[in-house]
Amino acid sequence: MDDPQEFARRVFASQPFSQFIGAQLASAGPGTAELRLPIVDHLKQQHGFVHGGVLSYLADNAITFAGGLALGGNALTSEYKINYLKPAVGALLIARAQAKAAGKRQAVCQCEVFAVKDGVETLCALAQGTVVSAA
């Protein structure tokens, strides 16, 4: 993998679900990734907050990108855990992930998910997961 950002962009563009919900790969580098998702009504639950499954998708995908780039290629999430901290409201979600430790076959990553309202980022979820090489 010569250019991690270009590799990540190709992989992201090939994900039908990410395209379907309108997610964007904002940045990617060795062991890091940032995903963004505009908050629209069809992503909300009955109380008007972003559905937990949407936050979970962002955390999982950001963790997998960060871990995969730390491992040098295609990867899969082996496991992850998420804590929902506050309701996600606003105009935009941002998931920022980074590999905290990487070996030959697996990487342990953390992700923070923020909701942006009126330009202010509010931490709404924390996740940690293990990513394994798909090769």
Side-chain angles (χ1 to χ4, degrees):
M1 174 178 36
D2 294 332
D3 181 355
Q5 182 127 6
E6 180 55 33
F7 173 78
R9 291 202 186 285
R10 281 195 320 269
V11 170
F12 193 81
S14 72
Q15 294 181 335
F17 184 73
S18 293
Q19 306 312 309
F20 175 73
I21 67 168
Q24 306 149 0
L25 177 65
S27 66
T32 65
E34 181 177 303
L35 302 181
R36 293 178 175 230
L37 179 62
I39 296 174
V40 293
D41 284 342
H42 67 268
L43 299 178
K44 297 176 183 177
Q45 41 85 301
Q46 71 275 15
H47 300 291
F49 309 139
V50 176
H51 192 282
V54 175
L55 300 175
S56 185
Y57 151 77
L58 278 176
D60 176 26
N61 212 15
I63 282 170
T64 304
F65 270 93
L69 292 169
L71 294 170
N74 284 318
L76 301 167
T77 302
S78 173
E79 62 80 30
Y80 80 104
K81 174 197 186 317
I82 189 164
N83 291 97
Y84 301 106
L85 306 175
K86 292 187 177 182
V89 295
L92 179 69
L93 294 171
I94 301 173
R96 294 187 184 110
Q98 69 178 158
K100 294 297 190 176
K104 291 180 183 180
R105 300 176 41 91
Q106 73 177 19
V108 175
C109 304
Q110 291 180 333
C111 180
E112 296 177 320
V113 182
F114 298 89
V116 182
K117 182 178 180 182
D118 299 326
V120 177
E121 293 184 8
T122 300
L123 182 63
C124 56
L126 290 171
Q128 179 170 303
T130 305
V131 175
V132 295
S133 175

